[in-house]
Amino acid sequence: MQESKTFESICNLLRNHSYKVTHQRQTILQTFMEHVDRHLSAEEVYMLVKHRDPEIGLATVYRTLDILAEIGVLLKNDFGDGRSRYEFSRKDEQHHHHHLICLHCGNVSEFDDDLLESLEAVISKRTQFKVIDHDLKFYGYCKKCEEAL
Amino acid sequence: MQESKTFESICNLLRNHSYKVTHQRQTILQTFMEHVDRHLSAEEVYMLVKHRDPEIGLATVYRTLDILAEIGVLLKNDFGDGRSRYEFSRKDEQHHHHHLICLHCGNVSEFDDDLLESLEAVISKRTQFKVIDHDLKFYGYCKKCEEAL
DNA sequence: CTATTATATGACAAAGAGACTCATTTGCAA
DNA sequence: TTGCAAATGAGTCTCTTTGTCATATAATAG
Ligand SMILES: [Mn+2]
Ligand SMILES: [Mn+2]
Ligand SMILES: [Zn+2]
Ligand SMILES: [Zn+2]
């Protein structure tokens, strides 16, 4: 049974992993939940969070994002811009979506597809490599930038 | 007509892009050609190069690798270990291979497949995104590590 | 072959993301 | 309410990569 990721369920998830549900972690989580569709960096989260509670430190943001990724609430991405970017992990996706990264404006959009599952099987069969996960990114130009050129 | 990537042809490629063929660039290139199958970081190249010419500076290695990637001689990869890794670009591959990264020992192996070409076409059709390039990595365990666990 | 000059180089400093340190604070279980 | 392990914030530190600049050197013209 797949538990839906409400604020409360995530707090419980923290407790189940014996992490304390601190005021700071709640604020960071709440802030993140208001930007479900975005791919935020630690610094960006820090800025958003500071608006709600200026006392929170950057190190705490880094630590909290790490923990949320570790317990499966967030996904940590690397889009090649020199900083990690986090997004809310959808409750209903067994294997995650792919990313379309615009080489001009940096905008990140998404693409769903399960073709990679079969490719993982091919790899495990053809090579001696046991595949656990994959990461697929497409680089190109978004509609807006393509039209502007 | 595909020119084969000999040492001389790459020197000419540098000249054609109005880059000077300096002693340092030749040494770095020669060193790289002795490790065709590896995915070297700038620091690793620096160490190998220092053996042949201890006078070469790290900044020059960084700059040279950048240039060689820019003119298509090298490919710049990010395997998530916090540093860029370069490899010789094969003359005969229109679209590059994928990488299998071991989560235990960090070893990188390769996998050839052209399934992604068709996926790029699907994306360009289904979304408004103009795909230029892609990057596919698989994470898991290499034969050696899988057996040892 | 020599002079000219734009480019390249090496040493060093600096930037930027993120991890580490440690004194102080706080969640939470007893 | 108390006790204490865990968490926090401020600052320091590490590491990769880029920037600066005085000096050196390919490439080119004469
Ligand atoms: Mn996403
Ligand atoms: Mn490779
Ligand atoms: Zn764009
Ligand atoms: Zn391994």
Side-chain angles (χ1 to χ4, degrees):
Chain A
M1 200 203 84
Q2 180 72 47
E3 188 183 30
S4 77
K5 296 277 181 60
T6 62
F7 180 79
E8 268 314 318
S9 75
I10 294 168
C11 290
N12 286 329
L13 210 52
L14 281 169
R15 277 185 270 261
N16 294 346
H17 286 77
S18 44
Y19 288 119
K20 291 181 179 173
V21 179
T22 64
H23 169 249
Q24 290 91 333
R25 286 173 182 170
Q26 291 183 62
T27 302
I28 292 167
L29 180 54
Q30 273 189 303
T31 303
F32 218 103
M33 292 186 87
E34 290 169 2
H35 300 272
V36 177
D37 50 333
R38 298 190 52 196
H39 301 87
L40 297 168
S41 68
E43 195 77 30
E44 285 170 348
V45 173
Y46 178 59
M47 290 309 177
L48 291 168
V49 156
K50 254 200 143 38
H51 192 251
R52 196 183 288 237
D53 177 358
E55 301 299 303
I56 291 181
L58 179 57
T60 298
V61 173
Y62 271 103
R63 287 186 285 233
T64 300
L65 293 176
D66 260 2
I67 288 171
L68 290 174
E70 184 212 317
I71 66 178
V73 173
L74 298 182
L75 290 177
K76 191 174 185 174
N77 288 116
D78 179 6
F79 298 142
D81 61 348
R83 70 213 66 184
S84 294
R85 295 189 167 273
Y86 298 81
E87 67 182 310
F88 229 85
S89 166
R90 276 80 151 186
K91 54 187 173 303
D92 58 343
E93 65 184 351
Q94 57 286 76
H95 249 90
H96 37 264
H97 55 269
H98 316 314
H99 290 107
L100 313 178
I101 303 159
C102 181
L103 295 167
H104 189 251
C105 70
N107 186 275
V108 176
S109 47
E110 304 183 334
F111 187 79
D112 271 300
D113 153 276
D114 49 2
L115 202 62
L116 274 278
E117 314 296 288
S118 51
L119 192 49
E120 285 195 5
V122 172
I123 288 172
S124 289
K125 197 160 291 179
R126 285 233 294 265
T127 73
Q128 305 274 24
F129 194 87
K130 160 119 184 203
V131 179
I132 300 293
D133 196 11
H134 62 246
D135 176 22
L136 176 54
K137 288 171 285 193
F138 294 92
Y139 296 96
Y141 297 100
C142 72
K143 188 190 175 192
K144 198 172 268 178
C145 289
E146 179 68 8
E147 282 170 352
L149 295 180
Chain B
M1 199 203 86
Q2 179 73 48
E3 190 183 30
S4 79
K5 296 279 181 60
T6 62
F7 180 80
E8 267 314 318
S9 77
I10 295 169
C11 289
N12 286 329
L13 210 53
L14 281 168
R15 277 185 269 261
N16 293 346
H17 290 257
S18 46
Y19 288 118
K20 291 181 180 173
V21 179
T22 63
H23 169 248
Q24 291 91 334
R25 286 174 180 167
Q26 291 183 61
T27 303
I28 292 167
L29 179 54
Q30 273 189 304
T31 303
F32 218 104
M33 292 186 86
E34 291 168 3
H35 301 272
V36 178
D37 50 333
R38 297 190 53 195
H39 302 88
L40 297 169
S41 69
E43 195 77 32
E44 285 170 348
V45 174
Y46 178 58
M47 290 309 176
L48 290 169
V49 157
K50 253 200 143 38
H51 193 252
R52 196 183 288 237
D53 177 358
E55 300 300 302
I56 291 180
L58 179 58
T60 299
V61 173
Y62 271 101
R63 288 185 285 232
T64 301
L65 294 176
D66 260 2
I67 288 171
L68 290 175
E70 184 212 317
I71 66 178
V73 173
L74 298 182
L75 290 177
K76 191 175 186 174
N77 289 117
D78 179 5
F79 298 141
D81 62 347
R83 72 214 64 187
S84 293
R85 294 188 167 274
Y86 297 81
E87 68 182 310
F88 229 85
S89 166
R90 277 81 152 184
K91 54 188 173 301
D92 58 344
E93 64 184 351
Q94 58 286 74
H95 249 91
H96 38 262
H97 55 269
H98 316 314
H99 290 108
L100 313 178
I101 302 158
C102 180
L103 294 167
H104 189 251
C105 70
N107 187 275
V108 176
S109 46
E110 305 184 334
F111 187 79
D112 271 299
D113 153 277
D114 49 3
L115 201 63
L116 273 278
E117 314 296 288
S118 51
L119 191 49
E120 285 195 6
V122 172
I123 288 173
S124 289
K125 198 159 290 179
R126 286 232 294 266
T127 74
Q128 305 274 24
F129 193 89
K130 160 118 183 203
V131 179
I132 300 292
D133 196 9
H134 62 246
D135 176 22
L136 175 55
K137 288 171 285 192
F138 293 93
Y139 296 95
Y141 297 100
C142 72
K143 188 190 174 191
K144 199 173 268 179
C145 290
E146 178 69 7
E147 282 170 352
L149 295 181

